[in-house]
Amino acid sequence: MGESRTELINWLNDLLGLSYTKVEQCGSGAAYAQVIDSIYLNVPLVKINFAAKHDYEYINNYKVLQETFKRNKIDKPIPVDRLIRCKMQDNLEFLQWLKKFWDSQYGGEPYDPEARRMGAAAPPPPLPGATTVGAARTAASARSAAQPSAARTATSSRPSASSASSAARRPVGAASGAAAARTQVVPNETIQALTAQMDDMKVSVDSLEKERDFYFAKLRDIEILVQERLAIIAEEFPDQEAATPETESLKQIQAILYSTEEGFEVPEGNEVAQDEEEMF
């Protein structure tokens, strides 16, 4: 029977000098890569992002891990699509396999994990569903902004007799002007909370754009590869009319790449040209 989750996490933290608390945090791939490095000492840890927080950053870590498996002839498929979801069961199974592999391959030489990371920080990845620091800061700022406002409202709701009589003698125009001035004043705490919220939203947008660009580049590479292969086939067999299984498969891949959803049709080339002529 394999080690328990607690035993595996303790072993991982002791070996790599980490402070993980859950097996799910291994889903970033950083710890897996350094465990392999403790055996072979040939993993380019400078390419590993130990502070990764997003899927596209995890994928880069697994690319390095896959290259390392290939270099060291480790015949073990890495279920990247499941591991990056940071689910407990998937990462537990992979970590149990990795521990058994380490037990059978590690030579017992002293290993300095921090030196191998060249001093790079290795904070525990965020747990799935955990509140981000920015969101917590925004919520705290909003609460702090609401408390003084509530206190001012409670105080203003109990006017003294003198203030009531003064209000009665005050002209209507002056009273409305004072009220308008009060409504224009925005508490500094509210401004800080909104600013923090905007910063968090900007970080989220930047992360989404990076993830979009990452997957777009992958699809573009596939598109170029298919086009080049079809061109080679056309040159080698110029007189071949019947489609081969390979060309059929390549054209099916192209059909998937160029397919669109209803309502998001790509404009035809002549329409684009016509629009450009109208612009000039």
Side-chain angles (χ1 to χ4, degrees):
M1 184 176 180
E3 290 88 345
S4 66
R5 286 176 287 174
T6 302
E7 291 172 336
L8 289 170
I9 288 297
N10 291 337
W11 163 74
L12 196 68
N13 289 335
D14 292 340
L15 176 65
L16 305 181
L18 302 176
S19 56
Y20 285 14
T21 58
K22 297 287 185 180
V23 172
E24 295 89 321
Q25 292 170 318
C26 296
S28 70
Y32 295 146
Q34 193 165 10
V35 170
I36 297 299
D37 182 72
S38 70
I39 301 173
Y40 298 102
L41 298 176
N42 63 358
V43 179
L45 295 181
V46 292
K47 296 182 180 180
I48 296 295
N49 185 354
F50 285 91
K53 297 180 180 179
H54 305 286
D55 287 0
Y56 67 90
E57 295 173 317
Y58 297 169
I59 290 174
N60 287 334
N61 288 344
Y62 281 106
K63 287 175 63 178
V64 177
L65 184 61
Q66 287 174 327
E67 292 171 359
T68 303
F69 271 39
K70 183 177 180 180
R71 184 185 310 116
N72 295 299
K73 296 180 173 57
I74 303 175
D75 187 17
K76 168 69 176 178
I78 304 175
V80 178
D81 57 335
R82 298 205 309 269
L83 295 176
I84 62 174
R85 296 175 186 173
C86 298
K87 298 296 184 182
M88 188 276 294
Q89 188 60 38
D90 295 325
N91 282 277
L92 177 61
E93 292 176 359
F94 192 80
L95 187 58
Q96 287 175 336
W97 171 86
L98 188 60
K99 177 60 164 61
K100 292 179 181 178
F101 182 81
W102 184 86
D103 288 338
S104 64
Q105 300 295 324
Y106 183 57
E109 299 83 0
Y111 180 74
D112 189 342
E114 295 182 359
R116 290 292 298 168
R117 291 195 296 265
M118 300 181 66
L127 291 170
T131 303
T132 61
V133 175
R137 184 178 66 247
T138 303
S141 300
R143 286 195 298 271
S144 63
Q147 290 173 355
S149 300
R152 286 194 297 270
T153 303
T155 303
S156 61
S157 64
R158 296 190 297 271
S160 61
S162 59
S163 62
S165 59
S166 299
R169 292 193 300 271
R170 188 181 301 123
V172 175
S176 60
R182 285 196 301 271
T183 58
Q184 294 176 358
V185 176
V186 179
N188 187 46
E189 295 86 350
T190 302
I191 295 175
Q192 292 177 352
L194 293 174
T195 302
Q197 186 176 2
M198 290 177 62
D199 291 340
D200 291 337
M201 292 175 65
K202 185 177 183 302
V203 171
S204 298
V205 171
D206 291 342
S207 299
L208 290 173
E209 289 179 348
K210 289 180 181 178
E211 187 172 0
R212 176 203 63 192
D213 294 342
F214 174 80
Y215 287 109
F216 177 81
K218 293 290 185 185
L219 293 173
R220 178 58 179 157
D221 291 341
I222 295 173
E223 179 187 20
I224 294 173
L225 183 64
V226 171
Q227 290 174 347
E228 291 177 348
R229 183 57 188 161
L230 286 173
I232 292 173
I233 294 175
E235 291 178 359
E236 292 179 349
F237 308 100
D239 300 329
Q240 185 175 358
E241 297 181 358
T244 64
E246 182 181 5
T247 57
E248 283 294 330
S249 298
L250 292 173
K251 289 180 180 179
Q252 288 176 4
I253 294 173
Q254 279 187 326
I256 294 173
L257 290 173
Y258 299 146
S259 64
T260 58
E261 294 183 359
E262 185 178 356
F264 293 91
E265 295 293 336
V266 178
E268 299 293 338
N270 56 356
E271 294 180 3
V272 175
Q274 183 178 358
D275 292 341
E276 292 178 351
E277 291 177 0
E278 292 177 355
M279 290 176 63
F280 295 97

